[in-house]
Amino acid sequence: MLVLSRQRDETIMIGDEIEITVVDIRGDKVRLGINAPRNVQVHRKEVYEAIKKENTASANVQIADLTRLETHVKRRAAGSGG
């Protein structure tokens, strides 16, 4: 891990396109401003970890789940006259 010291209004660059500026420092909180291209996702780590966990759970579909879904869809289609 690279550790840098920055003061308020100072900036670091990540590559050519990501700019992180120290906007404010109050007590033990630091507010950061981040300029990044739209295709770069920026999340707080706890949000990133939650998204990652949900994506992993969603990708872990069992055959039994798909069978139940298929049965449900067929029942709905039969019930709607289609």
Side-chain angles (χ1 to χ4, degrees):
M1 174 189 303
L2 172 66
V3 179
L4 300 171
S5 296
R6 300 274 68 197
Q7 295 184 9
R8 184 176 176 193
D9 297 327
E10 291 184 334
T11 300
I12 64 170
M13 294 296 297
I14 299 175
D16 292 334
E17 297 181 323
I18 301 173
E19 179 180 312
I20 301 174
T21 303
V22 177
V23 174
D24 195 16
I25 304 168
R26 290 185 189 171
D28 62 350
K29 282 192 174 182
V30 176
R31 294 182 69 212
L32 302 172
I34 301 168
N35 284 323
R38 289 188 178 270
N39 65 330
V40 175
Q41 295 184 7
V42 178
H43 300 286
R44 289 178 286 144
K45 185 170 183 177
E46 60 270 22
V47 171
Y48 172 81
E49 293 294 338
I51 292 168
K52 188 175 165 183
K53 184 178 177 180
E54 281 297 316
N55 286 342
T56 300
S58 296
N60 192 19
V61 175
Q62 303 296 314
I63 294 297
D65 296 331
L66 294 176
T67 302
R68 282 196 296 272
L69 177 62
E70 180 182 25
T71 302
H72 177 74
V73 169
K74 285 180 179 177
R75 285 183 185 159
R76 285 191 58 108
S80 66

